[in-house]
Amino acid sequence: MKNMAFRKINIIDIIIILMVVLIAVSGYMFFFRDSSKQVLDTGKVVYDFEITNVSKDFVDAINPGDPIRDSTRGNELGTVVSKSSRGATMLNEDLINGGYVIADVPDAYDVVITIEADANITPANIIIGGARVKVGKKFFIKGKGYANQGFVTKMTLIGQ
């Protein structure tokens, strides 16, 4: 009696195997492709980045034209267009009257850096230097002589 496990493979077997593989790959591509990673457009983005509770020296170190990098990954996040600062404040509990009050922080500043960058735009994200940049996202940044953490507070697509 012949062993069925070692029979010859014929052309019909090869066609069936290729059809099963093709159906599996097609099904995977249909259900699991990520269209949010497909770049639809490229363009300029201007965004505000806020850093709180810093010294006057920190504010003075920021200059228009400075390249800004993600200090975690080293990717370029754009170029400083402008900066603005105001006295730092913090929310404190009022133990006498109950509730909360906003109090000034002595010798501290909140700074908003306006940054311009080239971006890849997908259906779900704006990608700058390989990083997804969204309002509310926290970044650790560095420039010439300064580094800190802060949040993206505003984004504008130029020409959109």
Side-chain angles (χ1 to χ4, degrees):
M1 187 184 252
K2 290 185 178 180
N3 188 348
M4 293 303 287
F6 294 107
R7 73 182 180 109
K8 290 184 179 180
I9 297 177
N10 63 29
I11 192 74
I12 303 294
D13 294 332
I14 292 172
I15 291 172
I16 292 171
I17 291 169
L18 288 175
M19 287 179 60
V20 168
V21 169
L22 182 64
I23 291 170
V25 169
S26 298
Y28 176 82
M29 294 298 289
F30 180 76
F31 289 109
F32 296 107
R33 72 172 179 228
D34 188 2
S35 64
S36 68
K37 293 183 180 177
Q38 295 174 347
V39 175
L40 298 179
D41 198 7
T42 58
K44 292 268 186 205
V45 174
V46 175
Y47 62 99
D48 288 349
F49 188 81
E50 184 173 7
I51 303 170
T52 58
N53 203 13
V54 296
S55 69
K56 179 77 168 129
D57 291 336
F58 184 92
V59 175
D60 292 340
I62 302 167
N63 295 302
D66 286 352
I68 297 293
R69 293 186 130 358
D70 179 341
S71 64
T72 306
R73 296 183 185 149
N75 301 338
E76 189 165 330
L77 295 175
T79 305
V80 174
V81 175
S82 64
K83 69 178 176 186
S84 63
S85 64
R86 62 184 179 275
T89 58
M90 64 186 312
L91 189 62
N92 290 330
E93 186 175 4
D94 184 350
L95 298 175
I96 297 171
N97 300 318
Y100 293 90
V101 295
I102 296 175
D104 293 332
V105 178
D107 301 321
Y109 298 87
D110 294 341
V111 63
V112 176
I113 305 169
T114 301
I115 301 169
E116 182 179 80
D118 293 323
N120 290 325
I121 301 162
T122 72
N125 297 301
I126 295 174
I127 301 168
I128 301 171
R132 292 182 310 222
V133 178
K134 297 181 178 195
V135 172
K137 182 155 185 182
K138 182 179 186 177
F139 280 103
F140 293 87
I141 63 145
K142 64 181 174 181
K144 294 179 183 176
Y146 54 92
N148 211 319
Q149 63 183 345
F151 293 90
V152 175
T153 59
K154 177 182 172 184
M155 292 190 77
T156 306
L157 296 172
I158 303 298
Q160 299 289 323

